[in-house]
Amino acid sequence: LCGLELRHDRVVPSAQAVRVLAFMDLLPDLDVLMPVIQGLRLDPRFDLQVCVTEWLVSESPRVLRQLTSNGVTPILVSRQEVLKGVTPHLSFDTVLTAVESNALAHRVSFSLAKRAEALGKKCFTFQHGLENIGLTYFEAQPEGPERVQFASSRIFIWGKVEDLPAQVAPDIRERC
């Protein structure tokens, strides 16, 4: 994220703040992104907005409680509208997701990241945990062009890139 600033060793005035959209759709997303959200909120170099799917809020009321107790009022969107490319409006410089891939479970965040990258926005995603399809396990992954793909330009992982399994595709490895 520091690479998006004009200079990472000085505070950028708020008028030039990097506009960040943090997007959540799955149950573990809050625990992965909350520390990042808290850090970005305290840093004047970033203008943060959080977007959460209505599905996630209905599945886990804790998400909305924890966000609001930390001073965050999220944008609520439907999964269907994200998949259709209708919401959220991408007036941001960068998009953060807790996990995205073309795997069925990650498809909503993947759709958003793919749309944002196509518009020239930088997207960052996190490996949800120690296991993530396409990064650390491949049992259910098809080969060839149907393999698990990621739309984000950067993928934050828990370990070192050189420790990723040999099966990780070279284009994915480069973004980790």
Side-chain angles (χ1 to χ4, degrees):
L1 292 176
C2 291
L4 294 173
E5 306 164 20
L6 296 176
R7 282 187 43 140
H8 67 277
D9 61 344
R10 69 179 173 100
V11 174
V12 178
S14 61
Q16 297 177 357
V18 176
R19 295 165 301 163
V20 178
L21 176 68
F23 181 77
M24 291 186 240
D25 177 54
L26 298 173
L27 296 173
D29 290 1
L30 177 68
D31 297 318
V32 172
L33 287 182
M34 198 64 211
V36 179
I37 289 169
Q38 290 169 324
L40 290 175
R41 288 192 72 240
L42 296 174
D43 192 326
R45 297 172 294 179
F46 300 98
D47 177 16
L48 175 70
Q49 185 69 55
V50 176
C51 182
V52 180
T53 60
E54 293 165 346
W55 176 86
L56 177 57
V57 170
S58 70
E59 288 294 309
S60 176
R62 176 179 80 95
V63 171
L64 201 50
R65 276 195 313 269
Q66 188 163 351
L67 288 171
T68 56
S69 71
N70 279 277
V72 175
T73 304
I75 301 168
L76 296 178
V77 295
S78 78
R79 280 178 152 184
Q80 292 73 27
E81 289 182 351
V82 175
L83 289 168
K84 289 178 187 175
V86 176
T87 60
H89 181 60
L90 292 176
S91 59
F92 301 92
D93 301 310
T94 190
V95 174
L96 300 176
T97 61
V99 66
E100 60 87 357
S101 78
N102 63 342
L104 188 59
H106 309 154
R107 74 188 183 287
V108 177
S109 295
F110 177 76
S111 174
L112 175 62
K114 191 172 180 180
R115 182 166 55 106
E117 284 281 338
L119 292 171
K121 315 289 184 183
K122 291 291 183 191
C123 295
F124 299 85
T125 195
F126 292 79
Q127 179 181 353
H128 248 173
L130 297 177
E131 289 190 343
N132 205 129
I133 190 165
L135 293 174
T136 56
Y137 76 91
F138 307 89
E139 188 175 305
Q141 177 175 324
E143 295 296 323
E146 298 303 316
R147 69 176 167 76
V148 171
Q149 297 179 25
F150 298 86
S152 294
S153 47
R154 292 284 182 252
I155 305 164
F156 296 115
I157 61 173
W158 288 98
K160 298 176 184 174
V161 173
E162 53 270 15
D163 293 338
L164 286 171
Q167 298 99 310
V168 174
D171 64 307
I172 292 172
R173 184 179 297 275
E174 286 176 24
R175 290 181 278 153
C176 290

